[in-house]
Amino acid sequence: MKIYDFNGKKNICGNRIREARFKRRLTQADLAAQMQINGVIIERDSISRIEIGTRFVTDYELKVFSKVLKVELSWLLSEEDAEEQ
């Protein structure tokens, strides 16, 4: 089965994860540590790749990102530009 990119990226939530991380003043390492505390084993470099769109995000990772970053899951999946909100 071939896996396709969506608009040149492997996820649609990377920009939102980055934005929420900045708002919470977390480093990528801090976010990775919080994810690990919540049961998702992920490294800092994976956070970086998610944010730039070169790594897929699983459904369970997305759920924990939402919890850790204290944002709605639907917001993470929104395709609207952050400036529009």
Side-chain angles (χ1 to χ4, degrees), residues 5-75:
D5 290 351
F6 181 76
N7 292 333
K9 294 191 173 187
K10 296 192 184 314
N11 67 63
I12 60 172
C13 62
N15 290 335
R16 291 293 176 111
I17 289 171
R18 183 175 188 268
E19 180 182 342
R21 179 176 64 78
F22 277 10
K23 284 184 180 177
R24 298 203 50 77
R25 297 183 176 171
L26 295 171
T27 65
Q28 291 175 339
D30 293 337
L31 180 53
Q34 288 297 312
M35 294 289 287
Q36 290 177 17
I37 288 169
N38 283 275
V40 175
I41 304 305
I42 192 168
E43 301 296 328
R44 189 221 48 88
D45 69 314
S46 293
I47 301 291
S48 175
R49 291 184 309 141
I50 287 169
E51 290 181 353
I52 62 174
T54 60
R55 181 185 179 279
F56 290 102
V57 180
T58 64
D59 53 357
Y60 66 87
E61 288 172 333
L62 196 58
K63 185 176 177 183
V64 177
F65 275 123
S66 175
K67 176 183 175 184
V68 167
L69 294 169
K70 296 181 173 46
V71 296
E72 293 291 327
L73 189 59
S74 60
W75 181 81

